[in-house]
């Protein structure tokens, strides 16, 4: 079989022939139909992600496909079942073996491309807004990077939870996508003063930030008293320093969010969240946005779309 393999953090990954894996006890083997790309895949290739596996490895954190084989002790997932799995890595290949307890059965109406784009983006936003921030109806949610993979789902879920949503992105085209997902107010970060625009709209009660850098600093200064700030990631490459004295004066809370981390110490947070998100999808309340679907031979092009921020929503690699 073929897979996109990282053999060195200093060299570009390559599409190579690799052995067909066999499932270990507690694992399933999936014939992979689609794999969602994430910014963390870029970090993993450089060896800077917190969960980078040992070399050599196949990146690709989330997949959708068909159960092909079962390891010892696996029940409840028959061969042929349509599933999505967050495996952490191993998704950019024709087959992969993953823990069975991380697999979720797909709704009949959900395509493999949608399923591969679903878990991390929607899961991160739902856990952040519902579990960590306790977003309440009527509050103002400020979403930075609002047209990206996680940002766009934060706009959609925030609106569904009853918030007034301010979406920030670069350029009219990206802002239009955020508007279609439910944003009430739009701020072009290329041309506007984020702090002044948000303050003019009454300030932010919750800030969802996958960007970091100067945008974090501007959003921080536009927060209302008792606001909650959610650092999701640092796509800008700049991890901001937080002035603790300002937290004190305005009674602001900063709440870190690492969705995958819950699988290690409190997995029910993830499984309960995904169950609710899939219900919302089946009820027609969620509409995954995939801007690019590419074949396995074009993984490098897909990664460059993320790196250059030319994609919106998710980039998906279609494999089978």
């Amino acid at each position: 079989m073929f897979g996109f393999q990282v053999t060195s953090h200093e060299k570009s990954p390559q599409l190579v022939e690799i052995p067909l894996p066999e499932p270990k006890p507690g694992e399933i083997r999936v014939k992979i139909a689609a794999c969602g790309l994430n910014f963390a895949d870029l970090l993993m290739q450089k060896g800077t992600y917190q969960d980078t596996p040992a070399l050599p490895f196949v990146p690709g954190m989330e997949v959708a496909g068909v159960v092909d084989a079962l390891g010892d002790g696996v029940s409840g997932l028959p061969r042929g079942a349509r599933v999505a799995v967050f495996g952490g890595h191993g998704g950019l290949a024709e087959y992969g073996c993953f823990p069975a307890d991380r697999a979720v059965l797909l709704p009949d109406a959900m395509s493999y491309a949608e399923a591969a784009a679903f878990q991390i983006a929607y899961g991160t936003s739902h856990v952040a807004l519902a579990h960590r921030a306790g977003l309440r109806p009527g509050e103002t949610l400020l979403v930075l990077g609002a047209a990206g993979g996680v940002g766009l789902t934060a706009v959609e879920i925030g609106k569904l939870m009853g918030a007034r949503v301010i979406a920030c992105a670069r350029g009219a085209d990206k802002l239009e996508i955020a508007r279609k997902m439910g944003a009430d107010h739009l701020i072009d970060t290329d041309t506007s003063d984020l702090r002044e625009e948000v303050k003019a709209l009454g300030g932010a009660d919750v800030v969802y930030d996958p960007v970091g850098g100067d945008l974090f600093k501007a959003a921080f200064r536009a927060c209302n008293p008792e606001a909650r700030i959610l650092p999701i990631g640092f796509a800008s490459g700049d991890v901001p320093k937080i002035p603790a004295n300002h937290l004190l004066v305005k009674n602001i809370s900063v709440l870190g969010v690492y969705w995958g981390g819950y699988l290690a110490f409190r997995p029910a947070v993830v499984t309960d969240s995904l169950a609710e998100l899939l219900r919302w999808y089946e009820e027609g309340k969620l509409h995954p946005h995939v801007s690019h679907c590419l074949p396995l031979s074009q993984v490098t092009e897909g990664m460059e779309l993320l790196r250059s921020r030319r994609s919106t929503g998710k980039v998906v690699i279609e494999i089978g």
Side-chain angles (χ1 to χ4, degrees), residues 160-174:
L160 191 56
M161 293 176 67
R164 182 178 68 136
V165 180
I166 304 173
C168 303
R170 302 176 66 181
D173 291 345
K174 289 185 176 182

Side-chain angles (χ1 to χ4, degrees), residues 172-193:
D173 291 345
K174 289 185 176 182
L175 287 170
E176 175 60 18
I177 293 169
R179 185 193 65 78
K180 289 179 178 178
M181 283 297 192
D184 299 287
H185 303 281
L186 308 173
I187 297 176
D188 188 336
T189 53
D190 274 343
T191 59
S192 300
D193 184 321

Side-chain angles (χ1 to χ4, degrees), residues 70-279:
L70 308 176
D72 290 342
V74 175
S75 61
L77 285 172
R79 291 178 179 82
R82 300 174 69 247
V83 297
V85 187
F86 169 74
H89 65 279
L92 288 169
E94 294 177 304
Y95 291 84
C97 292
F98 309 102
D101 59 6
R102 293 192 183 181
V104 294
L105 294 170
L106 299 183
D108 292 339
M110 181 176 274
S111 70
Y112 289 124
E114 287 182 317
F118 195 84
Q119 288 191 86
I120 293 175
Y122 279 102
T124 295
S125 293
H126 186 251
V127 167
L129 297 176
H131 178 71
R132 295 292 281 151
L135 180 67
R136 297 183 290 270
E139 289 192 309
T140 296
L141 168 65
L142 173 61
V143 180
L144 308 182
V150 290
L152 201 57
T153 62
V155 170
E156 191 176 14
I157 291 173
K159 190 63 178 177
L160 191 56
M161 293 176 67
R164 182 178 68 136
V165 180
I166 304 173
C168 303
R170 302 176 66 181
D173 291 345
K174 289 185 176 182
L175 287 170
E176 175 60 18
I177 293 169
R179 185 193 65 78
K180 289 179 178 178
M181 283 297 192
D184 299 287
H185 303 281
L186 308 173
I187 297 176
D188 188 336
T189 53
D190 274 343
T191 59
S192 300
D193 184 321
L194 175 62
R195 177 195 179 193
E196 293 304 320
E197 293 272 354
V198 174
K199 289 183 72 173
L201 291 168
D205 300 308
V206 175
V207 176
Y208 183 99
D209 178 19
V211 180
D214 290 339
L215 290 183
F216 176 95
K217 298 171 188 175
F220 185 97
R221 298 177 71 189
C223 282
N224 292 326
E226 293 193 325
R228 289 89 74 202
I229 303 178
L230 299 158
I232 306 297
F234 311 103
S236 68
D238 180 0
V239 179
K241 294 179 172 59
I242 300 170
N245 57 324
H246 292 184
L247 296 178
L248 181 152
V249 171
K250 296 180 73 172
N251 290 289
I252 293 175
S253 300
V254 180
L255 305 166
V257 182
Y258 173 36
W259 179 79
Y262 278 102
L263 293 169
F265 71 91
R266 198 176 169 191
V269 170
V270 170
T271 54
D272 291 349
S273 171
L274 284 175
E276 183 162 17
L277 289 167
L278 288 170
R279 283 196 299 272

